[in-house]
Amino acid sequence: MKARMRRLGVAALAVLLLSACAAQEKNVIYAADYPAYDSVDALFAGAKLVIEGRLTGTKRVMTEVEPVDDGTETDLQLNPNAGATPDAEAPPAGPPTVMTVSSVEVVKVRKGLARVGQVIQVKELGGTLDGVTYEEEDATPLRTGVTYMLFLETYPDSPASLLNPEQAKYVVTSAGTYSAMPDNPVKLEGADVQRLSMTE
């Protein structure tokens, strides 16, 4: 579980709620805890990659796979509780961890290793899979055709993820200003971007 949480970029996936409507369509609501940031400086410091990027029309849905059991779950020497309740039924499997992966074309690089024109894959919790809609509670998904400033964690074998689904993305307006998401109290000014970009 720890490996999956790290790759999601979340501290804990706290609640999974499953509901069905009259039309038999199912919704799963994810509630997750993320690191919170109290300043633009903290966002820049926490991100491996900071870019201004425009979402192309390409999106795909994937599931995060649970780590393979390395034997510690069933080895009595490594796990004294292994086999303690052999007659107990295994708990039912929960809903999968569904991610939507967006293609983001880099417009400007503010921190990290990327180049203008490069397309980077960015994943967010949620998506539609096999007729079921998975959504993250209180999150605003990335929108195709919009240019964002993104604060990202990167991985060698998985798409990048936002440090925080609300705080780690700002809409870049036509006037060149940065608009925060509704639940983000940290404002981003052009002067902050210039100052912090120059320190890299």
Side-chain angles (χ1 to χ4, degrees):
M1 183 63 73
K2 289 181 181 177
R4 185 176 71 175
M5 293 302 101
R6 176 183 57 79
R7 290 170 60 130
L8 285 175
V10 301
L13 192 59
V15 180
L16 292 171
L17 302 175
L18 182 63
S19 63
C21 69
Q24 301 301 317
E25 294 178 0
K26 295 180 180 179
N27 291 326
V28 174
I29 308 298
Y30 295 119
D33 290 327
Y34 295 85
Y37 298 86
D38 58 5
S39 69
V40 173
D41 293 66
L43 277 167
F44 264 89
K48 286 185 181 176
L49 181 64
V50 182
I51 61 167
E52 290 183 31
R54 183 175 180 82
L55 262 72
T56 70
T58 305
K59 289 193 175 188
R60 64 184 172 89
V61 176
M62 61 176 279
T63 57
E64 288 282 356
V65 179
E66 289 282 358
V68 176
D69 181 8
D70 60 3
T72 59
E73 294 297 321
T74 54
D75 189 323
L76 285 173
Q77 291 183 342
L78 297 175
N79 180 6
N81 294 323
T85 55
D87 296 329
E89 291 185 9
T97 303
V98 175
M99 314 291 292
T100 294
V101 181
S102 300
S103 296
V104 181
E105 182 178 357
V106 178
V107 176
K108 294 181 181 178
V109 180
R110 300 298 186 175
K111 176 183 178 180
L113 300 177
R115 65 183 186 279
V116 173
Q118 180 181 354
V119 176
I120 293 174
Q121 304 297 304
V122 178
K123 64 186 175 186
E124 295 180 285
L125 196 56
T128 300
L129 183 68
D130 298 330
V132 179
T133 299
Y134 300 83
E135 298 176 300
E136 184 169 7
E137 186 177 49
D138 300 326
T140 306
L142 294 167
R143 301 194 316 271
T144 299
V146 176
T147 300
Y148 293 92
M149 173 78 82
L150 300 176
F151 296 83
L152 301 168
E153 177 66 52
T154 60
Y155 311 97
D157 58 353
S158 183
S161 62
L162 296 162
L163 296 182
N164 178 306
E166 289 295 289
Q167 287 194 291
K169 60 175 175 265
Y170 293 78
V171 173
V172 181
T173 70
S174 58
T177 60
Y178 304 95
S179 177
M181 296 294 107
D183 293 330
N184 183 8
V186 179
K187 304 305 178 189
L188 178 63
E189 304 291 344
D192 295 320
V193 174
Q194 293 300 324
R195 172 177 59 85
L196 291 163
S197 297
M198 289 172 60
T199 64
E200 292 303 314

